[in-house]
Structure formats: structure tokens, C-alpha cells
Amino acid sequence: MREALGPIVLLAVAGFLVGGVASLWRTARVAAVALGVLAAVAAAAGIAWLL
């Protein structure tokens, strides 16, 4: 069960970062883009881990 926790945590972190992107988009676009890239990496890593 513990080995299945990693991808879930990564996908949760990706969702948290996407929320940060939505929050920052109007005021700080550079930071929002950086968070978007990190969210994409976290989501890709979580999905890759599941496969």
C-alpha cells in the first residue's frame, strides 16, 4: 500500500500547483508560468509512476 502513495501525492501536488497558477495568473504571470511547468512535471511523474 505504501508504494501506491507516491503517485497520489504527486498528483495532489500537481493539483495544488494548478490552483496557484489560477491564483497568480492576473498579478504575476512569470510565477504562474513557472508553477504551471512544475505542475505539469509533477502530473507527468505521477502518471508515469502509475504506468
Side-chain angles (χ1 to χ4, degrees):
M1 174 143 179
R2 191 167 187 164
E3 58 274 353
L5 192 61
I8 294 169
V9 170
L10 281 172
L11 292 173
V13 168
F16 181 74
L17 290 173
V18 167
V21 169
S23 172
L24 287 174
W25 186 251
R26 287 186 180 225
T27 58
R29 293 210 178 190
V30 173
V33 169
L35 283 180
V37 169
L38 291 175
V41 169
I47 292 169
W49 195 340
L50 284 173
L51 298 177

